[in-house]
PDB file of all heavy atoms in Angstrom:
ATOM      1  N   PHE A 723       8.806  10.310  13.437  1.00 73.00           N
ATOM      2  CA  PHE A 723       9.003  11.614  14.099  1.00 73.00           C
ATOM      3  C   PHE A 723       7.680  12.376  14.224  1.00 73.00           C
ATOM      4  O   PHE A 723       7.417  13.009  15.253  1.00 73.00           O
ATOM      5  CB  PHE A 723      10.025  12.448  13.331  1.00 73.00           C
ATOM      6  CG  PHE A 723      11.453  12.097  13.636  1.00 73.00           C
ATOM      7  CD1 PHE A 723      12.328  11.720  12.628  1.00 73.00           C
ATOM      8  CD2 PHE A 723      11.936  12.149  14.936  1.00 73.00           C
ATOM      9  CE1 PHE A 723      13.649  11.382  12.915  1.00 73.00           C
ATOM     10  CE2 PHE A 723      13.257  11.823  15.235  1.00 73.00           C
ATOM     11  CZ  PHE A 723      14.120  11.434  14.223  1.00 73.00           C
ATOM     12  N   MET A 726       5.631  10.795  17.001  1.00 73.00           N
ATOM     13  CA  MET A 726       6.223  11.162  18.299  1.00 73.00           C
ATOM     14  C   MET A 726       5.924  12.623  18.646  1.00 73.00           C
ATOM     15  O   MET A 726       5.653  12.963  19.806  1.00 73.00           O
ATOM     16  CB  MET A 726       7.731  10.928  18.262  1.00 73.00           C
ATOM     17  CG  MET A 726       8.127   9.453  18.199  1.00 73.00           C
ATOM     18  SD  MET A 726       9.913   9.214  17.951  1.00 73.00           S
ATOM     19  CE  MET A 726      10.555   9.739  19.553  1.00 73.00           C
ATOM     20  N   ARG A 727       5.939  13.482  17.616  1.00 77.00           N
ATOM     21  CA  ARG A 727       5.626  14.898  17.850  1.00 77.00           C
ATOM     22  C   ARG A 727       4.181  15.057  18.343  1.00 77.00           C
ATOM     23  O   ARG A 727       3.903  15.794  19.293  1.00 77.00           O
ATOM     24  CB  ARG A 727       5.825  15.690  16.559  1.00 77.00           C
ATOM     25  CG  ARG A 727       5.459  17.178  16.666  1.00 77.00           C
ATOM     26  CD  ARG A 727       5.600  17.869  15.319  1.00 77.00           C
ATOM     27  NE  ARG A 727       4.692  17.318  14.334  1.00 77.00           N
ATOM     28  CZ  ARG A 727       3.405  17.679  14.211  1.00 77.00           C
ATOM     29  NH1 ARG A 727       2.888  18.590  15.045  1.00 77.00           N
ATOM     30  NH2 ARG A 727       2.644  17.137  13.290  1.00 77.00           N
ATOM     31  N   GLN A 728       3.266  14.337  17.669  1.00 74.00           N
ATOM     32  CA  GLN A 728       1.856  14.403  18.060  1.00 74.00           C
ATOM     33  C   GLN A 728       1.664  13.932  19.500  1.00 74.00           C
ATOM     34  O   GLN A 728       0.935  14.541  20.287  1.00 74.00           O
ATOM     35  CB  GLN A 728       1.016  13.532  17.113  1.00 74.00           C
ATOM     36  CG  GLN A 728      -0.488  13.624  17.343  1.00 74.00           C
ATOM     37  CD  GLN A 728      -1.037  15.018  17.092  1.00 74.00           C
ATOM     38  OE1 GLN A 728      -0.590  15.724  16.179  1.00 74.00           O
ATOM     39  NE2 GLN A 728      -1.994  15.435  17.902  1.00 74.00           N
ATOM     40  N   ALA A 730       3.960  14.028  21.889  1.00 71.00           N
ATOM     41  CA  ALA A 730       4.535  15.038  22.793  1.00 71.00           C
ATOM     42  C   ALA A 730       3.559  16.198  22.998  1.00 71.00           C
ATOM     43  O   ALA A 730       3.406  16.713  24.118  1.00 71.00           O
ATOM     44  CB  ALA A 730       5.857  15.537  22.235  1.00 71.00           C
ATOM     45  N   MET A 731       2.880  16.611  21.914  1.00 78.00           N
ATOM     46  CA  MET A 731       1.913  17.713  22.020  1.00 78.00           C
ATOM     47  C   MET A 731       0.737  17.325  22.913  1.00 78.00           C
ATOM     48  O   MET A 731       0.253  18.133  23.707  1.00 78.00           O
ATOM     49  CB  MET A 731       1.423  18.101  20.627  1.00 78.00           C
ATOM     50  CG  MET A 731       2.471  18.823  19.783  1.00 78.00           C
ATOM     51  SD  MET A 731       1.877  19.213  18.122  1.00 78.00           S
ATOM     52  CE  MET A 731       0.593  20.398  18.493  1.00 78.00           C
ATOM     53  N   ASP A 735       4.267  18.619  26.082  1.00 71.00           N
ATOM     54  CA  ASP A 735       5.721  18.830  25.985  1.00 71.00           C
ATOM     55  C   ASP A 735       6.024  19.499  24.637  1.00 71.00           C
ATOM     56  O   ASP A 735       6.481  18.870  23.691  1.00 71.00           O
ATOM     57  CB  ASP A 735       6.447  17.487  26.107  1.00 71.00           C
ATOM     58  CG  ASP A 735       7.962  17.662  26.278  1.00 71.00           C
ATOM     59  OD1 ASP A 735       8.456  18.787  26.058  1.00 71.00           O
ATOM     60  OD2 ASP A 735       8.636  16.666  26.608  1.00 71.00           O
ATOM     61  N   TYR A 736       5.766  20.821  24.568  1.00 73.00           N
ATOM     62  CA  TYR A 736       5.860  21.526  23.290  1.00 73.00           C
ATOM     63  C   TYR A 736       7.299  21.736  22.837  1.00 73.00           C
ATOM     64  O   TYR A 736       7.571  21.806  21.629  1.00 73.00           O
ATOM     65  CB  TYR A 736       5.117  22.866  23.383  1.00 73.00           C
ATOM     66  CG  TYR A 736       3.634  22.667  23.618  1.00 73.00           C
ATOM     67  CD1 TYR A 736       3.081  22.930  24.867  1.00 73.00           C
ATOM     68  CD2 TYR A 736       2.817  22.184  22.603  1.00 73.00           C
ATOM     69  CE1 TYR A 736       1.723  22.720  25.097  1.00 73.00           C
ATOM     70  CE2 TYR A 736       1.459  21.977  22.825  1.00 73.00           C
ATOM     71  CZ  TYR A 736       0.920  22.235  24.072  1.00 73.00           C
ATOM     72  OH  TYR A 736      -0.414  22.008  24.286  1.00 73.00           O
ATOM     73  N   ARG A 737       8.235  21.835  23.764  1.00 75.00           N
ATOM     74  CA  ARG A 737       9.651  21.960  23.382  1.00 75.00           C
ATOM     75  C   ARG A 737      10.110  20.696  22.648  1.00 75.00           C
ATOM     76  O   ARG A 737      10.737  20.779  21.595  1.00 75.00           O
ATOM     77  CB  ARG A 737      10.506  22.200  24.623  1.00 75.00           C
ATOM     78  CG  ARG A 737      11.995  22.333  24.302  1.00 75.00           C
ATOM     79  CD  ARG A 737      12.813  22.644  25.541  1.00 75.00           C
ATOM     80  NE  ARG A 737      12.469  23.953  26.081  1.00 75.00           N
ATOM     81  CZ  ARG A 737      13.026  24.468  27.167  1.00 75.00           C
ATOM     82  NH1 ARG A 737      13.953  23.796  27.837  1.00 75.00           N
ATOM     83  NH2 ARG A 737      12.677  25.658  27.607  1.00 75.00           N
ATOM     84  N   GLN A 738       9.771  19.538  23.217  1.00 67.00           N
ATOM     85  CA  GLN A 738      10.121  18.279  22.570  1.00 67.00           C
ATOM     86  C   GLN A 738       9.394  18.148  21.232  1.00 67.00           C
ATOM     87  O   GLN A 738       9.956  17.669  20.239  1.00 67.00           O
ATOM     88  CB  GLN A 738       9.752  17.098  23.484  1.00 67.00           C
ATOM     89  CG  GLN A 738      10.011  15.721  22.903  1.00 67.00           C
ATOM     90  CD  GLN A 738      11.491  15.402  22.780  1.00 67.00           C
ATOM     91  OE1 GLN A 738      12.336  16.191  23.187  1.00 67.00           O
ATOM     92  NE2 GLN A 738      11.803  14.259  22.191  1.00 67.00           N
ATOM     93  N   ALA A 739       8.147  18.604  21.183  1.00 71.00           N
ATOM     94  CA  ALA A 739       7.362  18.527  19.950  1.00 71.00           C
ATOM     95  C   ALA A 739       8.024  19.343  18.842  1.00 71.00           C
ATOM     96  O   ALA A 739       8.092  18.911  17.684  1.00 71.00           O
ATOM     97  CB  ALA A 739       5.938  19.024  20.196  1.00 71.00           C
ATOM     98  N   ASN A 740       8.533  20.527  19.170  1.00 73.00           N
ATOM     99  CA  ASN A 740       9.204  21.369  18.179  1.00 73.00           C
ATOM    100  C   ASN A 740      10.487  20.708  17.665  1.00 73.00           C
ATOM    101  O   ASN A 740      10.787  20.750  16.468  1.00 73.00           O
ATOM    102  CB  ASN A 740       9.529  22.748  18.768  1.00 73.00           C
ATOM    103  CG  ASN A 740       8.289  23.613  18.904  1.00 73.00           C
ATOM    104  OD1 ASN A 740       7.325  23.413  18.180  1.00 73.00           O
ATOM    105  ND2 ASN A 740       8.318  24.560  19.831  1.00 73.00           N
ATOM    106  N   ALA A 741      11.239  20.111  18.578  1.00 72.00           N
ATOM    107  CA  ALA A 741      12.478  19.431  18.179  1.00 72.00           C
ATOM    108  C   ALA A 741      12.169  18.260  17.240  1.00 72.00           C
ATOM    109  O   ALA A 741      12.864  18.047  16.236  1.00 72.00           O
ATOM    110  CB  ALA A 741      13.222  18.923  19.414  1.00 72.00           C
ATOM    111  N   LEU A 742      11.115  17.528  17.553  1.00 65.00           N
ATOM    112  CA  LEU A 742      10.724  16.394  16.704  1.00 65.00           C
ATOM    113  C   LEU A 742      10.211  16.877  15.345  1.00 65.00           C
ATOM    114  O   LEU A 742      10.440  16.232  14.315  1.00 65.00           O
ATOM    115  CB  LEU A 742       9.655  15.556  17.411  1.00 65.00           C
ATOM    116  CG  LEU A 742      10.158  14.767  18.635  1.00 65.00           C
ATOM    117  CD1 LEU A 742       8.984  14.283  19.473  1.00 65.00           C
ATOM    118  CD2 LEU A 742      11.027  13.593  18.190  1.00 65.00           C
ATOM    119  N   ALA A 743       9.526  18.025  15.337  1.00 74.00           N
ATOM    120  CA  ALA A 743       9.043  18.592  14.075  1.00 74.00           C
ATOM    121  C   ALA A 743      10.223  18.971  13.178  1.00 74.00           C
ATOM    122  O   ALA A 743      10.177  18.763  11.956  1.00 74.00           O
ATOM    123  CB  ALA A 743       8.174  19.813  14.347  1.00 74.00           C
ATOM    124  N   ASP A 744      11.277  19.525  13.776  1.00 68.00           N
ATOM    125  CA  ASP A 744      12.476  19.874  13.005  1.00 68.00           C
ATOM    126  C   ASP A 744      13.117  18.615  12.399  1.00 68.00           C
ATOM    127  O   ASP A 744      13.545  18.613  11.247  1.00 68.00           O
ATOM    128  CB  ASP A 744      13.500  20.590  13.898  1.00 68.00           C
ATOM    129  CG  ASP A 744      13.049  21.999  14.269  1.00 68.00           C
ATOM    130  OD1 ASP A 744      12.168  22.534  13.575  1.00 68.00           O
ATOM    131  OD2 ASP A 744      13.585  22.542  15.260  1.00 68.00           O
TER     132      ASP A 744
END
Side-chain angles (χ1 to χ4, degrees):
F723 279 123
M726 291 173 71
R727 177 184 63 83
Q728 185 63 37
M731 288 178 66
D735 191 347
Y736 296 106
R737 180 177 295 179
Q738 177 70 3
N740 286 335
L742 290 165
D744 289 341

